Amino acid sequence: MIDLPETASITVKRTNTGDGFSYPILWEHSFDGLQKALRDIPDLHPSRVCIVTDSTVAELYLSEVLDALDGWASVLESFVFPAGEQSKNLDTVSDLYQVLVAKHFERKDLLVALGGGVTGDLAGFAAATYLRGIDFIQVPTTLLSQVDSSVGGKTGVDFQQYKNMVGAFHQPRLVYMNMSVLRTLPEEQFVSGMGEVIKTALIRDAELFRYLDENRVLVKARNPEAMIRVIRACCEVKAAVVEEDPTEKGIRGILNYGHTLGHAVEKCSGLALLHGQCVGIGMIGASWLSMRRGGISEETYRKICEVCLSYGLPDSVSGLSPEEIVQASKSDKKMEGGKIKFILLHQIGDAFIDKNVSDRELLDAAAVLCR
Ligand code: GLY
């Protein structure tokens, strides 16, 4: 264990606006500080608390979190659903509503999302909609949710074949990271999280990209100092972008770097690949197009590919055609007036939104990814 610096927290803040919010992101080494962190939040006094988690995380951490919260609220419930993206739907949300109704949850009560992106998105969506909105906190247990999905208030579930098609913006009151959970994270989940880490570096933090390039051994070994450095840098980028544009009317779109082609690959491959792996593939396509447009040099493109591969991310997908990928990308949410909002790079650390990517360019980029 390492000593955490005094400043092992940041605040995500937007005030003096109709959609204001302010909440801390905390880094700790156990769940022991969770109750104090909650008590420190002004005007948060729930009588009932429900921990929402999946079957995998429940086995590992539910009892620890129940213990950590013992004595804080008069009712402490848990709701456990089967692990996996297949559970991220309105049926699971409906099951959760039933528990909340049966246990008489009221407006000032609280949900705790304990788990990865599926859990955070699903619990957040239930919190956004139950009684027109109750509070929730994020306790992310995967690298992907720590660096991306737990911060920023995007919540939602999949609908029919569409990913995250039904949702709401609903900011958490706290993001609490117990860094020790990374020890039990399966390697492929770690690699998937690295997809979002590298994405964050590419869009806004050239220094982080250099760090990832130069410290591969440390980061891949999940060295605690290195991981705090990396996760904190990602959260700083995410917080800054979300503060500027919480509901993705503009700049927040850059967080979708690699996601247009990535989501399409994810959809076509029938969930055979994890989200961050698909983002990795999509980033290769977006970086290739950035090179073709003259934004980045060939050398930079090759460096991006090399760093992605070195962290175990795939740079291509087999068994899919470029046409299939392009077709799938057209049904994605990242469309505006029938045009795709594609994210490109001027250079590493500097992304922009382009609405003029042609079908031909999309097809050529998709072809780079198909083996
Ligand atoms: N993961 C992209 C966003 O939160 O906007």
Side-chain angles (χ1 to χ4, degrees):
M1 188 183 291
I2 57 161
D3 285 333
L4 285 170
E6 286 269 316
T7 51
S9 74
I10 59 175
T11 303
V12 190
K13 198 170 181 142
R14 180 174 164 103
T15 49
N16 303 324
T17 61
D19 54 2
F21 50 79
S22 174
Y23 54 94
I25 304 174
L26 303 183
W27 287 275
E28 299 278 351
H29 286 307
S30 73
F31 292 114
D32 294 348
L34 181 57
Q35 186 168 151
K36 178 177 180 316
L38 285 164
R39 285 182 188 273
D40 285 348
I41 299 175
D43 72 287
L44 187 69
H45 307 291
S47 301
R48 296 164 201 80
V49 175
C50 181
I51 300 168
V52 180
T53 192
D54 71 24
S55 45
T56 305
V57 176
E59 229 171 84
L60 291 166
Y61 300 118
L62 181 56
S63 64
E64 262 183 71
V65 176
L66 284 167
D67 286 350
L69 293 181
D70 189 39
W72 183 50
S74 42
V75 173
L76 186 53
E77 272 300 317
S78 53
F79 173 82
V80 181
F81 62 91
E85 183 82 22
Q86 299 84 338
S87 292
K88 191 176 166 182
N89 55 45
L90 291 171
D91 292 336
T92 312
V93 175
S94 169
D95 292 345
L96 173 53
Y97 290 151
Q98 286 186 39
V99 170
L100 301 179
V101 170
K103 301 291 174 182
H104 310 290
F105 271 64
E106 296 176 1
R107 231 336 137 54
K108 64 178 182 39
D109 293 332
L110 179 80
L111 300 189
V112 175
L114 171 68
V118 169
T119 302
D121 285 8
L122 185 143
F125 179 65
T129 47
Y130 181 73
L131 295 178
R132 298 196 179 91
I134 64 172
D135 286 326
F136 85 114
I137 65 160
Q138 293 270 17
V139 185
T141 59
T142 61
L143 179 60
L144 186 139
S145 55
Q146 291 181 340
V147 298
D148 187 47
S149 61
S150 66
V151 177
K154 270 192 185 174
T155 75
V157 292
D158 303 336
F159 183 70
Q160 296 177 346
Q161 73 269 42
Y162 303 108
K163 211 173 139 54
N164 298 330
M165 192 49 109
V166 178
F169 288 101
H170 190 54
Q171 301 289 338
R173 300 297 310 274
L174 165 73
V175 182
Y176 183 98
M177 301 195 198
N178 169 2
M179 297 302 294
S180 73
V181 300
L182 288 180
R183 285 201 302 258
T184 56
L185 192 66
E187 183 59 19
E188 63 168 6
Q189 294 273 355
F190 183 78
V191 169
S192 174
M194 286 308 300
E196 294 286 0
V197 169
I198 295 170
K199 173 208 81 177
T200 306
L202 287 176
I203 60 168
R204 270 263 169 122
D205 194 340
E207 177 51 40
L208 175 61
F209 188 81
R210 254 191 307 279
Y211 183 86
L212 295 171
D213 185 17
E214 288 164 9
N215 294 278
R216 297 174 195 190
V217 176
L218 271 185
V219 175
K220 286 170 75 175
R222 310 183 196 182
N223 169 281
E225 271 113 343
M227 290 319 295
I228 288 186
R229 155 84 179 75
V230 165
I231 294 169
R232 189 186 164 110
C234 290
C235 288
E236 278 171 357
V237 168
K238 182 95 196 237
V241 173
V242 165
E243 284 166 0
E244 195 178 332
D245 177 23
T247 53
E248 203 171 311
K249 297 209 164 54
I251 191 69
R252 184 167 179 164
I254 65 168
L255 295 170
N256 293 325
Y257 187 67
H259 283 58
T260 303
L261 292 167
H263 268 169
V265 167
E266 198 168 358
K267 195 166 145 186
C268 296
S269 61
L271 305 179
L273 291 163
L274 294 174
H275 178 69
Q277 294 172 314
C278 297
V279 170
I281 294 170
M283 284 194 298
I284 302 296
S287 301
W288 180 86
L289 198 48
S290 303
M291 172 181 72
R292 191 194 213 188
R293 288 276 191 94
I296 59 173
S297 65
E298 183 171 349
E299 191 189 351
T300 302
Y301 168 67
R302 295 207 179 285
K303 172 58 85 180
I304 293 170
C305 295
E306 191 225 319
V307 169
C308 285
L309 282 170
S310 75
Y311 278 98
L313 290 161
D315 64 348
S316 62
V317 59
S318 57
L320 296 181
S321 70
E323 288 78 13
E324 262 179 285
I325 295 176
V326 171
Q327 190 52 39
S329 70
K330 299 258 164 134
S331 60
D332 199 80
K333 293 190 303 318
K334 291 174 278 301
M335 302 280 286
E336 199 173 271
K339 293 201 166 214
I340 287 191
K341 285 189 279 173
F342 205 90
I343 319 305
L344 293 168
L345 296 180
H346 287 303
Q347 57 186 324
I348 289 177
D350 184 5
F352 66 101
I353 300 173
D354 189 296
K355 296 184 189 153
N356 294 310
V357 169
S358 67
D359 284 2
R360 183 71 248 170
E361 286 178 307
L362 213 51
L363 202 61
D364 290 349
V368 171
L369 313 175
C370 293
R371 286 258 160 87

